[in-house]
C-alpha cells in the first residue's frame, strides 16, 4: 500500500497544529516538513522551531525535506522522537556520502532528493547507503505547481534497479500530486506520495486524506 505524506507548506499556518492533528487522525502516514532557506530555493518557509512545536501534539511521524544549503550543519535541529526521515538534496551536497552518514548517526533514516534536471545516475555511488530517494516532480520552492512527467521515468528506473540489484531504498515523489495522477505514479513503482495543495486545499481535510488513502 502506498503511503501519504501531506506537505504542511500548504497548510493554514494560523491553524497549523489543528490541521496536522486532523490529517494524522485521518490516516496520513507522515507529516512532510518542507524547509526552505531562500538560497537553495527561491523561497523561505519555516525551520526547526515550528516542527518542534508540532512535536507536542499527537501526529504522524515526520518526513523532513531540507531544501537548504549546508544541510549537514542543521540536521541535528530536526532530530526528534517523531523524525523518521531527513532528506537532503543531491544538488546541495558536494559530499553526499558524508551527509547521509551524518543523518544516520542520529538514528534517523537518510534520504536524498533530486531535482527534475538531475539524473538518477548522480546517485549511483550511494544506492547501497540511502534509505529513501525523493524524486522531485516540480522544481522545488513552491506548492501548487504542475507535475513534471520526467519524474515518472526516474521512478520506473529506480524501481527496476532496486528489484534487479536488490537495493532497499524507498521511493518518494514530491510535487504536483493530485487525486487524478496519483494512481499513475503508484503504477510507476513509487512508495510514498507527498501532496501539499491537493490535501490542504480541500474543504474537508479528513475526507481528502481518506480519498487519497483509498486510491493508494
Ligand atoms: C516543493 C515542496 C513540496 C510542495 C508540494 O518545493 O517540496 O513538498 O509543498 O506541494 P504540491 O503538492 O502542492 O505540489
Ligand atoms: Zn517537499
Amino acid at each position: 500500500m502506498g503511503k501519504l505524506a501531506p506537505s504542511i507548506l500548504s497548510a493554514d499556518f494560523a491553524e497549523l497544529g489543528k490541521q496536522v492533528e486532523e490529517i494524522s487522525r485521518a490516516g496520513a502516514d507522515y507529516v512532510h516538513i518542507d524547509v526552505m532557506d531562500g538560497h537553495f530555493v527561491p523561497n523561505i518557509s519555516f525551520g526547526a522551531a515550528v516542527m518542534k512545536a508540532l512535536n507536542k501534539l499527537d501526529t504522524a511521524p515526520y518526513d523532513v525535506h531540507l531544501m537548504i544549503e549546508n544541510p549537514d550543519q542543521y540536521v541535528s535541529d530536526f532530530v526528534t522522537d517523531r523524525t523518521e526521515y531527513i532528506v537532503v538534496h543531491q544538488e546541495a551536497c558536494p559530499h553526499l556520502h558524508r551527509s547521509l552518514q551524518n543523518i544516520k548517526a542520529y538514528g534517523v533514516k537518510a534520504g536524498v532528493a533530486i531535482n527534475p534536471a538531475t539524473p538518477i545516475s548522480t546517485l549511483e555511488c550511494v544506492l547501497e547507503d540511502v534509505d529513501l530517494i525523493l524524486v522531485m516532480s516540480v522544481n522545488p520552492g513552491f506548492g501548487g505547481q504542475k507535475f513534471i512527467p520526467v519524474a515518472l521515468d526516474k521512478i520506473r528506473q529506480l524501481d527496476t534497479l532496486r528489484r534487479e540489484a536488490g537495493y532497499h531504498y524507498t521511493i518518494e515523489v514530491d510535487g504536483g500530486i493530485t487525486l487524478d495522477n496519483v494512481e499513475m505514479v503508484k503504477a510507476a513503482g513509487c512508495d510514498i506520495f507527498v501532496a501539499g495543495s491537493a490535501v490542504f486545499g480541500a474543504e474537508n481535510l479528513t475526507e481528502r486524506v481518506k480519498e487519497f488513502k483509498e486510491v493508494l
Side-chain angles (χ1 to χ4, degrees):
M1 208 166 86
K3 292 187 167 170
L4 180 67
S7 160
I8 61 169
L9 188 65
S10 294
D12 176 353
F13 289 168
E15 304 278 332
L16 188 58
K18 260 202 245 160
Q19 292 198 339
V20 170
E21 283 187 315
E22 180 172 351
I23 55 140
S24 299
R25 257 197 319 269
D29 298 282
Y30 297 101
V31 180
H32 185 79
I33 311 276
D34 279 313
V35 182
M36 305 179 179
D37 65 354
H39 291 273
F40 179 68
V41 290
N43 194 13
I44 297 173
S45 58
F46 48 79
V50 170
M51 189 195 78
K52 283 184 174 157
L54 297 176
N55 209 29
K56 296 187 208 124
L57 309 174
D58 199 8
T59 78
Y62 302 147
D63 157 34
V64 181
H65 180 191
L66 296 180
M67 286 162 275
I68 63 175
E69 286 176 6
N70 301 316
D72 297 7
Q73 208 178 316
Y74 301 99
V75 160
S76 63
D77 292 350
F78 292 92
V79 177
T80 69
D81 51 7
R82 282 226 178 80
T83 309
E84 183 151 338
Y85 291 103
I86 294 182
V87 181
V88 293
H89 265 263
Q90 185 275 343
E91 304 85 359
C93 294
H95 308 287
L96 181 57
H97 184 271
R98 176 186 287 151
S99 300
L100 297 173
Q101 299 307 321
N102 176 42
I103 296 169
K104 288 186 183 183
Y106 291 99
V108 172
K109 292 181 191 158
V112 61
I114 48 172
N115 285 335
T118 304
I120 59 175
S121 57
T122 57
L123 303 181
E124 194 181 323
C125 299
V126 296
L127 291 175
E128 284 265 2
D129 302 287
V130 77
D131 296 306
L132 175 139
I133 298 176
L134 171 48
V135 177
M136 288 306 301
S137 40
V138 297
N139 288 297
F142 304 93
Q145 303 181 79
K146 199 167 170 279
F147 183 85
I148 300 174
V150 71
L152 276 179
D153 271 343
K154 292 188 198 175
I155 291 166
R156 277 190 208 108
Q157 285 179 53
L158 285 168
D159 186 40
T160 305
L161 197 62
R162 74 177 160 181
R163 268 187 281 112
E164 288 178 359
Y167 293 122
H168 296 293
Y169 51 76
T170 294
I171 304 174
E172 180 173 36
V173 69
D174 185 2
I177 294 296
T178 65
L179 279 170
D180 293 328
N181 64 17
V182 70
E183 224 166 336
M184 170 183 75
V185 184
K186 185 174 191 293
C190 194
D191 309 302
I192 304 181
F193 302 80
V194 177
S197 49
V199 169
F200 287 99
E203 211 131 284
N204 186 321
L205 300 187
T206 300
E207 270 173 27
R208 183 53 56 86
V209 168
K210 292 196 166 142
E211 283 172 321
F212 265 105
K213 291 293 291 181
E214 262 168 42
V215 183
L216 292 173

